[in-house]
Amino acid sequence: MCLGIPGKILDVYESQGLRMAKVQFGGIAREACLQYVPEAGTGDYVIVHVGFAISKLNEEEAARTYSLLEEMGQLAELAAGANEELPRS
């Protein structure tokens, strides 16, 4: 099952003409494209699906959703590749 995962934007930068971000999901940070949510910025929470931020949400909703996903055991994929280095801005 594919799910969108809530995360907090830590850094926003441009890469190859695309607006990108370093997004934190619990203790794991991954890269995500922000092209679909141009209003999102550092400190905002977004739902990320297959590397694309698809919507913004507030901190409370992000925490609630993350807790539910954790209870369902749906966060294991995030840990895979957690040691990969992110591009530097």
Side-chain angles (χ1 to χ4, degrees):
M1 174 190 274
C2 294
L3 297 171
I5 307 294
K8 182 177 183 178
I9 298 174
L10 301 177
D11 187 30
V12 176
Y13 54 92
E14 187 173 314
S15 178
Q16 299 181 18
L18 294 174
R19 195 160 176 263
M20 303 295 289
K22 179 179 177 183
V23 180
Q24 182 178 20
F25 307 93
I28 300 165
R30 304 291 295 255
E31 183 179 46
C33 180
L34 296 179
Q35 289 296 112
Y36 296 138
V37 286
E39 71 281 5
T42 302
D44 287 337
Y45 287 83
V46 290
I47 296 288
V48 178
H49 177 68
V50 293
F52 290 87
I54 56 174
S55 66
K56 279 180 55 176
L57 69 162
N58 64 42
E59 183 176 5
E60 294 79 23
E61 185 65 20
R64 188 177 78 79
T65 303
Y66 193 82
S67 290
L68 290 171
L69 290 172
E70 193 169 41
E71 286 177 27
M72 293 170 31
Q74 296 294 313
L75 299 177
E77 289 182 29
L78 284 178
N83 294 327
E84 296 174 8
E85 284 199 28
L86 292 174
R88 297 171 196 222
S89 52

